């Protein structure tokens, strides 16, 4: 077994928020902030990226495994309180974080060795970014997978619009606008995961990966079925309603279905930032047209940087995380007040030297 510092390619580091070691043939990444649901910080992103770069060149490492410490989840996303403080102060730390985070997402998607993600428990936002772009994505009966950004006045990022735009029918649009979390069966249906393994078998699976490749190990764990999901039986009205061209039309169609779940979806959407909703719908449609991940990440970076200067991001995080009053005061407060020009501003180029540039290395899968 190699030492943590050797595997990180970062000798001398004392950072314990990401633990790195090699077990047999597998490089293991453990996100180690369990009290914070393993939320990502900028140093964590850089440490993961450095380890992946080192292991890609290490012939002793045949595959990589990422997991979260504790039993609550792989990762609840980025540190949104830090983003709130940075946005409020007019700083640039969040943009710097996103630049490196999105580069990490691209590296994971094009990684030359199998990248196995244990998507156990809560996997949201940035947690999706470090898992769902991998080659082997495993969910359990405890998994709750979501891109919840519209609830804090933000827009799905970390390649989330790419992933959701590729979900069957309009399932991705539904998840993006409502910010709903899904369990294992629905994550599999939406293409956010590949395999179901009961949570109590993860230690055994992890031990097996030390001695054999993932494609040989996983068939031993394929007997169990995930708990039933909800989305398959709702596909008819989801595909019909979310195919509309505007958020207003989507809401009207949902309310007209006469189905309790559709009404709940409409109410969930109407509680979100009107601006974030319209930008999210535009982002999903653009991501579908762009096709591959890299150009989507470039566009998401533009949107995220513009959102950093939007009042709704600060207000949404304040209401949900800082003051926790759950009563955001969106500006503007109504969908009708968000114009097409307002939406287009989020996609405007950032200017020379400010755009996201991804390292050379070939296109990502899909």
């Amino acid at each position: 077994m190699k030492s943590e510092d050797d595997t990180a390619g970062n000798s001398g580091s004392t950072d314990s928020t990401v633990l790195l070691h090699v077990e047999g043939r597998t490089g293991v990444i453990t996100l180690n902030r369990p009290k914070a649901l393993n939320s990502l910080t900028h140093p964590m992103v850089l440490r993961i990226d450095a380890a992946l770069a080192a292991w890609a060149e290490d012939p002793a490492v045949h595959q990589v495994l990422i997991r979260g410490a504790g039993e609550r989840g792989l990762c609840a996303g980025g540190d949104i309180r830090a983003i709130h403080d940075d946005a409020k102060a007019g700083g640039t730390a969040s943009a710097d974080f996103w630049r490196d985070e999105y580069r990490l997402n691209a590296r994971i998607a094009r990684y030359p060795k199998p990248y196995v993600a244990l998507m156990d428990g809560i996997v949201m936002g940035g947690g999706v970014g470090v898992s769902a772009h991998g080659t082997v994505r495993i969910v359990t009966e405890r998994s709750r997978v979501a891109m919840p950004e519209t609830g804090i006045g933000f827009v799905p990022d970390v390649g989330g619009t790419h992933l959701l735009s590729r979900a069957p029918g309009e399932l991705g649009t539904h998840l993006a606008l409502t910010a709903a979390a899904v369990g294992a069966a629905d994550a599999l249906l939406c293409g956010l995961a590949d395999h179901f393994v009961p949570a109590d078998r993860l230690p055994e699976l992890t031990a097996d990966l030390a001695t054999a490749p993932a494609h040989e190990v996983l068939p031993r764990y394929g007997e169990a079925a995930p708990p039933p999901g909800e989305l398959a039986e709702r596909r008819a009205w989801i595909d019909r309603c979310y195919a509309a061209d505007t958020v207003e039309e989507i809401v009207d169609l949902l309310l007209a279905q006469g189905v309790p779940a559709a009404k709940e979806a409409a109410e969930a959407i109407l509680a979100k930032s009107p601006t974030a909703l319209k930008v999210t719908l535009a982002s999903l449609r653009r991501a579908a047209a762009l096709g591959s991940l890299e150009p989507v990440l470039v566009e998401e970076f533009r949107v995220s940087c513009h959102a950093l200067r939007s009042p709704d991001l600060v207000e949404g995080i304040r209401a949900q995380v800082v003051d926790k009053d759950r009563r955001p005061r969106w500006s503007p407060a109504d969908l009708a007040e968000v114009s097409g020009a307002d939406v287009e501003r989020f996609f405007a180029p950032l200017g020379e030297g400010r755009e996201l540039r991804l390292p050379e290395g070939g296109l990502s899968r899909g």
Side-chain angles (χ1 to χ4, degrees):
M1 180 187 297
K2 297 185 180 181
S3 72
E4 180 178 330
D5 288 340
D6 286 341
T7 59
N10 190 19
S11 183
S13 171
T14 58
D15 184 5
S16 64
T17 59
V18 176
L19 304 179
L20 305 165
H21 71 281
V22 174
E23 287 282 353
R25 63 191 295 135
T26 302
V28 180
I29 302 168
T30 304
L31 307 183
N32 190 39
R33 297 183 69 210
K35 291 183 179 178
L37 279 170
N38 299 317
S39 295
L40 294 172
T41 63
H42 199 167
M44 291 171 71
V45 164
L46 295 174
R47 188 159 168 78
I48 297 166
D49 192 67
L52 291 178
W55 285 338
E57 304 300 325
D58 187 342
V61 176
H62 295 256
Q63 58 199 4
V64 171
L65 172 75
I66 188 167
R67 62 188 181 184
E71 296 187 349
R72 297 172 64 198
L74 170 65
C75 175
D79 187 341
I80 60 174
R81 186 181 287 266
I83 293 171
H84 168 273
D85 294 346
D86 182 51
K88 198 170 182 180
T92 62
S94 297
D96 295 339
F97 167 66
W98 289 324
R99 189 183 304 276
D100 288 324
E101 184 182 24
Y102 300 176
R103 285 174 172 168
L104 172 61
N105 302 145
R107 183 188 294 279
I108 291 168
R110 66 162 74 102
Y111 203 61
K113 300 177 180 181
Y115 181 98
V116 183
L118 302 186
M119 301 172 70
D120 184 34
I122 292 174
V123 185
M124 297 185 178
V128 172
V130 297
S131 59
H133 297 300
T135 43
V136 180
R137 305 161 304 169
I138 297 167
V139 284
T140 76
E141 72 279 6
R142 303 187 299 202
S143 295
R144 300 298 296 167
V145 183
M147 294 300 295
E149 287 76 10
T150 55
I152 58 167
F154 196 44
V155 178
D157 67 334
V158 299
T161 60
H162 171 73
L163 293 166
L164 293 174
S165 72
R166 300 172 73 192
E170 295 293 336
L171 292 177
T173 311
H174 170 70
L175 295 185
L177 296 184
T178 62
V182 297
D186 288 333
L188 292 165
L189 174 63
C190 292
L192 300 174
D194 312 295
H195 305 276
F196 172 79
V197 175
D200 62 4
R201 298 199 69 189
L202 293 182
E204 181 186 353
L205 181 147
T206 301
D208 284 351
L209 288 171
T211 60
H215 73 270
E216 292 181 7
V217 169
L218 281 164
R220 305 173 202 165
Y221 296 84
E223 305 86 5
E230 299 176 340
L231 295 181
E233 65 181 25
R234 299 176 180 178
R235 273 290 302 276
W237 60 260
I238 286 176
D239 288 353
R240 183 165 56 248
C241 296
Y242 289 94
D245 292 331
T246 68
V247 180
E248 291 96 327
E249 290 176 279
I250 289 170
V251 170
D252 287 345
L253 286 168
L254 288 169
L255 292 173
Q257 296 305 302
V259 177
K263 181 175 183 289
E264 290 170 9
E267 291 170 347
I269 291 170
L270 291 172
K272 308 299 187 289
S273 158
T275 300
L277 288 168
K278 290 200 170 183
V279 176
T280 294
L281 184 60
S283 293
L284 290 169
R285 303 296 194 244
R286 288 171 179 250
L290 287 169
S292 62
L293 176 62
E294 275 85 351
V296 174
L297 286 168
V298 170
E299 188 156 87
E300 286 182 348
F301 184 73
R302 290 177 179 173
V303 171
S304 296
C305 289
H306 288 302
L308 198 60
R309 305 292 171 243
S310 165
D312 279 3
L313 179 58
V314 171
E315 174 61 13
I317 300 174
R318 178 208 65 77
Q320 298 297 333
V321 177
V322 180
D323 296 338
K324 299 182 180 179
D325 59 23
R326 308 291 194 267
R327 298 178 64 184
R329 296 180 290 275
W330 305 123
S331 179
D334 189 86
L335 285 165
E337 298 176 58
V338 183
S339 69
D342 293 332
V343 172
E344 285 302 312
R345 277 195 283 272
F346 281 78
F347 298 93
L350 299 172
E352 187 66 29
R354 297 180 58 206
E355 299 283 0
L356 173 66
R357 294 181 62 84
L358 295 170
E360 295 296 325
L363 293 176
S364 64
R365 298 180 306 277

mmCIF file with all atom_site columns, all heavy atoms in Angstrom, residues 147-170:
data_model
loop_
_atom_site.group_PDB
_atom_site.id
_atom_site.type_symbol
_atom_site.label_atom_id
_atom_site.label_alt_id
_atom_site.label_comp_id
_atom_site.label_asym_id
_atom_site.label_entity_id
_atom_site.label_seq_id
_atom_site.pdbx_PDB_ins_code
_atom_site.Cartn_x
_atom_site.Cartn_y
_atom_site.Cartn_z
_atom_site.occupancy
_atom_site.B_iso_or_equiv
_atom_site.pdbx_formal_charge
_atom_site.auth_seq_id
_atom_site.auth_comp_id
_atom_site.auth_asym_id
_atom_site.auth_atom_id
_atom_site.pdbx_PDB_model_num
ATOM 1   N N   . MET A 1 147 ? -30.096 17.595 -8.198  1.00 0.00 ? 147 MET A N   1
ATOM 2   C CA  . MET A 1 147 ? -29.490 18.868 -8.575  1.00 0.00 ? 147 MET A CA  1
ATOM 3   C C   . MET A 1 147 ? -30.449 19.940 -8.053  1.00 0.00 ? 147 MET A C   1
ATOM 4   O O   . MET A 1 147 ? -31.384 20.352 -8.747  1.00 0.00 ? 147 MET A O   1
ATOM 5   C CB  . MET A 1 147 ? -29.318 18.964 -10.091 1.00 0.00 ? 147 MET A CB  1
ATOM 6   C CG  . MET A 1 147 ? -28.321 17.966 -10.671 1.00 0.00 ? 147 MET A CG  1
ATOM 7   S SD  . MET A 1 147 ? -26.639 18.128 -10.013 1.00 0.00 ? 147 MET A SD  1
ATOM 8   C CE  . MET A 1 147 ? -26.160 19.748 -10.618 1.00 0.00 ? 147 MET A CE  1
ATOM 9   N N   . PRO A 1 148 ? -30.262 20.414 -6.813  1.00 0.00 ? 148 PRO A N   1
ATOM 10  C CA  . PRO A 1 148 ? -31.268 21.248 -6.143  1.00 0.00 ? 148 PRO A CA  1
ATOM 11  C C   . PRO A 1 148 ? -31.063 22.752 -6.301  1.00 0.00 ? 148 PRO A C   1
ATOM 12  O O   . PRO A 1 148 ? -31.605 23.538 -5.520  1.00 0.00 ? 148 PRO A O   1
ATOM 13  C CB  . PRO A 1 148 ? -31.080 20.844 -4.677  1.00 0.00 ? 148 PRO A CB  1
ATOM 14  C CG  . PRO A 1 148 ? -29.604 20.582 -4.566  1.00 0.00 ? 148 PRO A CG  1
ATOM 15  C CD  . PRO A 1 148 ? -29.182 20.009 -5.898  1.00 0.00 ? 148 PRO A CD  1
ATOM 16  N N   . GLU A 1 149 ? -30.334 23.168 -7.328  1.00 0.00 ? 149 GLU A N   1
ATOM 17  C CA  . GLU A 1 149 ? -29.864 24.553 -7.394  1.00 0.00 ? 149 GLU A CA  1
ATOM 18  C C   . GLU A 1 149 ? -30.961 25.609 -7.484  1.00 0.00 ? 149 GLU A C   1
ATOM 19  O O   . GLU A 1 149 ? -30.817 26.713 -6.952  1.00 0.00 ? 149 GLU A O   1
ATOM 20  C CB  . GLU A 1 149 ? -28.892 24.712 -8.569  1.00 0.00 ? 149 GLU A CB  1
ATOM 21  C CG  . GLU A 1 149 ? -27.534 24.090 -8.352  1.00 0.00 ? 149 GLU A CG  1
ATOM 22  C CD  . GLU A 1 149 ? -27.510 22.582 -8.480  1.00 0.00 ? 149 GLU A CD  1
ATOM 23  O OE1 . GLU A 1 149 ? -28.533 21.994 -8.932  1.00 0.00 ? 149 GLU A OE1 1
ATOM 24  O OE2 . GLU A 1 149 ? -26.482 21.966 -8.149  1.00 0.00 ? 149 GLU A OE2 1
ATOM 25  N N   . THR A 1 150 ? -32.072 25.322 -8.183  1.00 0.00 ? 150 THR A N   1
ATOM 26  C CA  . THR A 1 150 ? -33.096 26.361 -8.334  1.00 0.00 ? 150 THR A CA  1
ATOM 27  C C   . THR A 1 150 ? -33.664 26.802 -6.989  1.00 0.00 ? 150 THR A C   1
ATOM 28  O O   . THR A 1 150 ? -34.162 27.914 -6.857  1.00 0.00 ? 150 THR A O   1
ATOM 29  C CB  . THR A 1 150 ? -34.247 25.882 -9.241  1.00 0.00 ? 150 THR A CB  1
ATOM 30  O OG1 . THR A 1 150 ? -34.782 24.656 -8.721  1.00 0.00 ? 150 THR A OG1 1
ATOM 31  C CG2 . THR A 1 150 ? -33.754 25.672 -10.665 1.00 0.00 ? 150 THR A CG2 1
ATOM 32  N N   . GLY A 1 151 ? -33.567 25.941 -5.971  1.00 0.00 ? 151 GLY A N   1
ATOM 33  C CA  . GLY A 1 151 ? -34.074 26.290 -4.646  1.00 0.00 ? 151 GLY A CA  1
ATOM 34  C C   . GLY A 1 151 ? -33.251 27.330 -3.926  1.00 0.00 ? 151 GLY A C   1
ATOM 35  O O   . GLY A 1 151 ? -33.710 27.923 -2.939  1.00 0.00 ? 151 GLY A O   1
ATOM 36  N N   . ILE A 1 152 ? -32.010 27.571 -4.408  1.00 0.00 ? 152 ILE A N   1
ATOM 37  C CA  . ILE A 1 152 ? -31.178 28.631 -3.804  1.00 0.00 ? 152 ILE A CA  1
ATOM 38  C C   . ILE A 1 152 ? -30.889 29.744 -4.812  1.00 0.00 ? 152 ILE A C   1
ATOM 39  O O   . ILE A 1 152 ? -29.932 30.501 -4.659  1.00 0.00 ? 152 ILE A O   1
ATOM 40  C CB  . ILE A 1 152 ? -29.859 28.071 -3.233  1.00 0.00 ? 152 ILE A CB  1
ATOM 41  C CG1 . ILE A 1 152 ? -29.051 27.352 -4.325  1.00 0.00 ? 152 ILE A CG1 1
ATOM 42  C CG2 . ILE A 1 152 ? -30.124 27.164 -2.045  1.00 0.00 ? 152 ILE A CG2 1
ATOM 43  C CD1 . ILE A 1 152 ? -27.603 27.056 -3.914  1.00 0.00 ? 152 ILE A CD1 1
ATOM 44  N N   . GLY A 1 153 ? -31.704 29.847 -5.853  1.00 0.00 ? 153 GLY A N   1
ATOM 45  C CA  . GLY A 1 153 ? -31.513 30.922 -6.822  1.00 0.00 ? 153 GLY A CA  1
ATOM 46  C C   . GLY A 1 153 ? -30.341 30.696 -7.746  1.00 0.00 ? 153 GLY A C   1
ATOM 47  O O   . GLY A 1 153 ? -29.795 31.642 -8.318  1.00 0.00 ? 153 GLY A O   1
ATOM 48  N N   . PHE A 1 154 ? -29.955 29.441 -7.938  1.00 0.00 ? 154 PHE A N   1
ATOM 49  C CA  . PHE A 1 154 ? -28.808 29.089 -8.776  1.00 0.00 ? 154 PHE A CA  1
ATOM 50  C C   . PHE A 1 154 ? -29.301 28.200 -9.907  1.00 0.00 ? 154 PHE A C   1
ATOM 51  O O   . PHE A 1 154 ? -30.505 27.949 -10.053 1.00 0.00 ? 154 PHE A O   1
ATOM 52  C CB  . PHE A 1 154 ? -27.763 28.393 -7.895  1.00 0.00 ? 154 PHE A CB  1
ATOM 53  C CG  . PHE A 1 154 ? -26.378 28.307 -8.483  1.00 0.00 ? 154 PHE A CG  1
ATOM 54  C CD1 . PHE A 1 154 ? -25.793 29.390 -9.127  1.00 0.00 ? 154 PHE A CD1 1
ATOM 55  C CD2 . PHE A 1 154 ? -25.641 27.123 -8.371  1.00 0.00 ? 154 PHE A CD2 1
ATOM 56  C CE1 . PHE A 1 154 ? -24.512 29.302 -9.647  1.00 0.00 ? 154 PHE A CE1 1
ATOM 57  C CE2 . PHE A 1 154 ? -24.357 27.023 -8.888  1.00 0.00 ? 154 PHE A CE2 1
ATOM 58  C CZ  . PHE A 1 154 ? -23.795 28.116 -9.531  1.00 0.00 ? 154 PHE A CZ  1
ATOM 59  N N   . VAL A 1 155 ? -28.376 27.699 -10.732 1.00 0.00 ? 155 VAL A N   1
ATOM 60  C CA  . VAL A 1 155 ? -28.705 26.904 -11.910 1.00 0.00 ? 155 VAL A CA  1
ATOM 61  C C   . VAL A 1 155 ? -27.853 25.635 -11.866 1.00 0.00 ? 155 VAL A C   1
ATOM 62  O O   . VAL A 1 155 ? -26.685 25.690 -11.485 1.00 0.00 ? 155 VAL A O   1
ATOM 63  C CB  . VAL A 1 155 ? -28.405 27.710 -13.198 1.00 0.00 ? 155 VAL A CB  1
ATOM 64  C CG1 . VAL A 1 155 ? -28.682 26.877 -14.448 1.00 0.00 ? 155 VAL A CG1 1
ATOM 65  C CG2 . VAL A 1 155 ? -29.236 28.988 -13.219 1.00 0.00 ? 155 VAL A CG2 1
ATOM 66  N N   . PRO A 1 156 ? -28.394 24.471 -12.233 1.00 0.00 ? 156 PRO A N   1
ATOM 67  C CA  . PRO A 1 156 ? -27.593 23.249 -12.227 1.00 0.00 ? 156 PRO A CA  1
ATOM 68  C C   . PRO A 1 156 ? -26.270 23.432 -12.959 1.00 0.00 ? 156 PRO A C   1
ATOM 69  O O   . PRO A 1 156 ? -26.229 23.968 -14.073 1.00 0.00 ? 156 PRO A O   1
ATOM 70  C CB  . PRO A 1 156 ? -28.490 22.238 -12.940 1.00 0.00 ? 156 PRO A CB  1
ATOM 71  C CG  . PRO A 1 156 ? -29.872 22.700 -12.612 1.00 0.00 ? 156 PRO A CG  1
ATOM 72  C CD  . PRO A 1 156 ? -29.794 24.203 -12.627 1.00 0.00 ? 156 PRO A CD  1
ATOM 73  N N   . ASP A 1 157 ? -25.188 22.989 -12.312 1.00 0.00 ? 157 ASP A N   1
ATOM 74  C CA  . ASP A 1 157 ? -23.851 23.144 -12.884 1.00 0.00 ? 157 ASP A CA  1
ATOM 75  C C   . ASP A 1 157 ? -23.100 21.822 -12.781 1.00 0.00 ? 157 ASP A C   1
ATOM 76  O O   . ASP A 1 157 ? -23.712 20.775 -12.796 1.00 0.00 ? 157 ASP A O   1
ATOM 77  C CB  . ASP A 1 157 ? -23.120 24.310 -12.206 1.00 0.00 ? 157 ASP A CB  1
ATOM 78  C CG  . ASP A 1 157 ? -22.812 24.039 -10.738 1.00 0.00 ? 157 ASP A CG  1
ATOM 79  O OD1 . ASP A 1 157 ? -23.524 23.247 -10.094 1.00 0.00 ? 157 ASP A OD1 1
ATOM 80  O OD2 . ASP A 1 157 ? -21.839 24.638 -10.215 1.00 0.00 ? 157 ASP A OD2 1
ATOM 81  N N   . VAL A 1 158 ? -21.787 21.846 -12.680 1.00 0.00 ? 158 VAL A N   1
ATOM 82  C CA  . VAL A 1 158 ? -20.911 20.663 -12.637 1.00 0.00 ? 158 VAL A CA  1
ATOM 83  C C   . VAL A 1 158 ? -21.270 19.632 -13.707 1.00 0.00 ? 158 VAL A C   1
ATOM 84  O O   . VAL A 1 158 ? -21.153 18.440 -13.506 1.00 0.00 ? 158 VAL A O   1
ATOM 85  C CB  . VAL A 1 158 ? -20.871 20.001 -11.228 1.00 0.00 ? 158 VAL A CB  1
ATOM 86  C CG1 . VAL A 1 158 ? -20.334 20.976 -10.197 1.00 0.00 ? 158 VAL A CG1 1
ATOM 87  C CG2 . VAL A 1 158 ? -22.239 19.480 -10.773 1.00 0.00 ? 158 VAL A CG2 1
ATOM 88  N N   . GLY A 1 159 ? -21.714 20.126 -14.863 1.00 0.00 ? 159 GLY A N   1
ATOM 89  C CA  . GLY A 1 159 ? -22.157 19.218 -15.916 1.00 0.00 ? 159 GLY A CA  1
ATOM 90  C C   . GLY A 1 159 ? -23.545 18.667 -15.697 1.00 0.00 ? 159 GLY A C   1
ATOM 91  O O   . GLY A 1 159 ? -23.993 17.785 -16.431 1.00 0.00 ? 159 GLY A O   1
ATOM 92  N N   . GLY A 1 160 ? -24.259 19.188 -14.710 1.00 0.00 ? 160 GLY A N   1
ATOM 93  C CA  . GLY A 1 160 ? -25.596 18.699 -14.403 1.00 0.00 ? 160 GLY A CA  1
ATOM 94  C C   . GLY A 1 160 ? -26.583 18.910 -15.532 1.00 0.00 ? 160 GLY A C   1
ATOM 95  O O   . GLY A 1 160 ? -27.454 18.057 -15.766 1.00 0.00 ? 160 GLY A O   1
ATOM 96  N N   . THR A 1 161 ? -26.459 20.035 -16.252 1.00 0.00 ? 161 THR A N   1
ATOM 97  C CA  . THR A 1 161 ? -27.391 20.248 -17.357 1.00 0.00 ? 161 THR A CA  1
ATOM 98  C C   . THR A 1 161 ? -27.124 19.244 -18.481 1.00 0.00 ? 161 THR A C   1
ATOM 99  O O   . THR A 1 161 ? -28.045 18.824 -19.182 1.00 0.00 ? 161 THR A O   1
ATOM 100 C CB  . THR A 1 161 ? -27.324 21.685 -17.896 1.00 0.00 ? 161 THR A CB  1
ATOM 101 O OG1 . THR A 1 161 ? -26.001 21.969 -18.380 1.00 0.00 ? 161 THR A OG1 1
ATOM 102 C CG2 . THR A 1 161 ? -27.692 22.697 -16.816 1.00 0.00 ? 161 THR A CG2 1
ATOM 103 N N   . HIS A 1 162 ? -25.872 18.838 -18.648 1.00 0.00 ? 162 HIS A N   1
ATOM 104 C CA  . HIS A 1 162 ? -25.540 17.798 -19.630 1.00 0.00 ? 162 HIS A CA  1
ATOM 105 C C   . HIS A 1 162 ? -26.190 16.471 -19.235 1.00 0.00 ? 162 HIS A C   1
ATOM 106 O O   . HIS A 1 162 ? -26.853 15.823 -20.053 1.00 0.00 ? 162 HIS A O   1
ATOM 107 C CB  . HIS A 1 162 ? -24.018 17.647 -19.700 1.00 0.00 ? 162 HIS A CB  1
ATOM 108 C CG  . HIS A 1 162 ? -23.551 16.482 -20.514 1.00 0.00 ? 162 HIS A CG  1
ATOM 109 N ND1 . HIS A 1 162 ? -23.625 16.454 -21.891 1.00 0.00 ? 162 HIS A ND1 1
ATOM 110 C CD2 . HIS A 1 162 ? -22.994 15.301 -20.146 1.00 0.00 ? 162 HIS A CD2 1
ATOM 111 C CE1 . HIS A 1 162 ? -23.135 15.306 -22.331 1.00 0.00 ? 162 HIS A CE1 1
ATOM 112 N NE2 . HIS A 1 162 ? -22.741 14.582 -21.295 1.00 0.00 ? 162 HIS A NE2 1
ATOM 113 N N   . LEU A 1 163 ? -26.019 16.083 -17.985 1.00 0.00 ? 163 LEU A N   1
ATOM 114 C CA  . LEU A 1 163 ? -26.584 14.817 -17.515 1.00 0.00 ? 163 LEU A CA  1
ATOM 115 C C   . LEU A 1 163 ? -28.104 14.818 -17.604 1.00 0.00 ? 163 LEU A C   1
ATOM 116 O O   . LEU A 1 163 ? -28.716 13.861 -18.091 1.00 0.00 ? 163 LEU A O   1
ATOM 117 C CB  . LEU A 1 163 ? -26.147 14.563 -16.076 1.00 0.00 ? 163 LEU A CB  1
ATOM 118 C CG  . LEU A 1 163 ? -24.656 14.300 -15.852 1.00 0.00 ? 163 LEU A CG  1
ATOM 119 C CD1 . LEU A 1 163 ? -24.311 14.420 -14.374 1.00 0.00 ? 163 LEU A CD1 1
ATOM 120 C CD2 . LEU A 1 163 ? -24.265 12.918 -16.372 1.00 0.00 ? 163 LEU A CD2 1
ATOM 121 N N   . LEU A 1 164 ? -28.735 15.887 -17.125 1.00 0.00 ? 164 LEU A N   1
ATOM 122 C CA  . LEU A 1 164 ? -30.195 15.932 -17.085 1.00 0.00 ? 164 LEU A CA  1
ATOM 123 C C   . LEU A 1 164 ? -30.794 16.048 -18.489 1.00 0.00 ? 164 LEU A C   1
ATOM 124 O O   . LEU A 1 164 ? -31.881 15.530 -18.737 1.00 0.00 ? 164 LEU A O   1
ATOM 125 C CB  . LEU A 1 164 ? -30.653 17.086 -16.206 1.00 0.00 ? 164 LEU A CB  1
ATOM 126 C CG  . LEU A 1 164 ? -30.326 16.944 -14.713 1.00 0.00 ? 164 LEU A CG  1
ATOM 127 C CD1 . LEU A 1 164 ? -30.703 18.206 -13.952 1.00 0.00 ? 164 LEU A CD1 1
ATOM 128 C CD2 . LEU A 1 164 ? -31.030 15.726 -14.110 1.00 0.00 ? 164 LEU A CD2 1
ATOM 129 N N   . SER A 1 165 ? -30.103 16.719 -19.388 1.00 0.00 ? 165 SER A N   1
ATOM 130 C CA  . SER A 1 165 ? -30.632 16.849 -20.750 1.00 0.00 ? 165 SER A CA  1
ATOM 131 C C   . SER A 1 165 ? -30.638 15.512 -21.483 1.00 0.00 ? 165 SER A C   1
ATOM 132 O O   . SER A 1 165 ? -31.344 15.356 -22.487 1.00 0.00 ? 165 SER A O   1
ATOM 133 C CB  . SER A 1 165 ? -29.806 17.866 -21.548 1.00 0.00 ? 165 SER A CB  1
ATOM 134 O OG  . SER A 1 165 ? -28.518 17.353 -21.870 1.00 0.00 ? 165 SER A OG  1
ATOM 135 N N   . ARG A 1 166 ? -29.865 14.541 -20.991 1.00 0.00 ? 166 ARG A N   1
ATOM 136 C CA  . ARG A 1 166 ? -29.787 13.235 -21.634 1.00 0.00 ? 166 ARG A CA  1
ATOM 137 C C   . ARG A 1 166 ? -30.710 12.199 -20.981 1.00 0.00 ? 166 ARG A C   1
ATOM 138 O O   . ARG A 1 166 ? -30.771 11.051 -21.415 1.00 0.00 ? 166 ARG A O   1
ATOM 139 C CB  . ARG A 1 166 ? -28.339 12.734 -21.601 1.00 0.00 ? 166 ARG A CB  1
ATOM 140 C CG  . ARG A 1 166 ? -27.378 13.661 -22.317 1.00 0.00 ? 166 ARG A CG  1
ATOM 141 C CD  . ARG A 1 166 ? -25.940 13.233 -22.090 1.00 0.00 ? 166 ARG A CD  1
ATOM 142 N NE  . ARG A 1 166 ? -25.610 12.031 -22.848 1.00 0.00 ? 166 ARG A NE  1
ATOM 143 C CZ  . ARG A 1 166 ? -24.506 11.311 -22.653 1.00 0.00 ? 166 ARG A CZ  1
ATOM 144 N NH1 . ARG A 1 166 ? -23.659 11.663 -21.702 1.00 0.00 ? 166 ARG A NH1 1
ATOM 145 N NH2 . ARG A 1 166 ? -24.265 10.242 -23.376 1.00 0.00 ? 166 ARG A NH2 1
ATOM 146 N N   . ALA A 1 167 ? -31.409 12.578 -19.929 1.00 0.00 ? 167 ALA A N   1
ATOM 147 C CA  . ALA A 1 167 ? -32.356 11.666 -19.292 1.00 0.00 ? 167 ALA A CA  1
ATOM 148 C C   . ALA A 1 167 ? -33.511 11.372 -20.246 1.00 0.00 ? 167 ALA A C   1
ATOM 149 O O   . ALA A 1 167 ? -33.834 12.179 -21.126 1.00 0.00 ? 167 ALA A O   1
ATOM 150 C CB  . ALA A 1 167 ? -32.875 12.271 -17.996 1.00 0.00 ? 167 ALA A CB  1
ATOM 151 N N   . PRO A 1 168 ? -34.161 10.223 -20.101 1.00 0.00 ? 168 PRO A N   1
ATOM 152 C CA  . PRO A 1 168 ? -35.274 9.886  -21.002 1.00 0.00 ? 168 PRO A CA  1
ATOM 153 C C   . PRO A 1 168 ? -36.380 10.937 -20.980 1.00 0.00 ? 168 PRO A C   1
ATOM 154 O O   . PRO A 1 168 ? -36.734 11.454 -19.911 1.00 0.00 ? 168 PRO A O   1
ATOM 155 C CB  . PRO A 1 168 ? -35.776 8.551  -20.449 1.00 0.00 ? 168 PRO A CB  1
ATOM 156 C CG  . PRO A 1 168 ? -34.613 7.970  -19.714 1.00 0.00 ? 168 PRO A CG  1
ATOM 157 C CD  . PRO A 1 168 ? -33.879 9.143  -19.142 1.00 0.00 ? 168 PRO A CD  1
ATOM 158 N N   . GLY A 1 169 ? -36.908 11.220 -22.149 1.00 0.00 ? 169 GLY A N   1
ATOM 159 C CA  . GLY A 1 169 ? -38.016 12.175 -22.238 1.00 0.00 ? 169 GLY A CA  1
ATOM 160 C C   . GLY A 1 169 ? -37.686 13.495 -21.582 1.00 0.00 ? 169 GLY A C   1
ATOM 161 O O   . GLY A 1 169 ? -36.640 14.089 -21.831 1.00 0.00 ? 169 GLY A O   1
ATOM 162 N N   . GLU A 1 170 ? -38.587 13.947 -20.711 1.00 0.00 ? 170 GLU A N   1
ATOM 163 C CA  . GLU A 1 170 ? -38.408 15.223 -20.009 1.00 0.00 ? 170 GLU A CA  1
ATOM 164 C C   . GLU A 1 170 ? -38.145 15.020 -18.516 1.00 0.00 ? 170 GLU A C   1
ATOM 165 O O   . GLU A 1 170 ? -38.336 15.940 -17.718 1.00 0.00 ? 170 GLU A O   1
ATOM 166 C CB  . GLU A 1 170 ? -39.647 16.099 -20.206 1.00 0.00 ? 170 GLU A CB  1
ATOM 167 C CG  . GLU A 1 170 ? -39.881 16.535 -21.638 1.00 0.00 ? 170 GLU A CG  1
ATOM 168 C CD  . GLU A 1 170 ? -38.809 17.487 -22.153 1.00 0.00 ? 170 GLU A CD  1
ATOM 169 O OE1 . GLU A 1 170 ? -38.169 18.158 -21.330 1.00 0.00 ? 170 GLU A OE1 1
ATOM 170 O OE2 . GLU A 1 170 ? -38.608 17.533 -23.390 1.00 0.00 ? 170 GLU A OE2 1
#
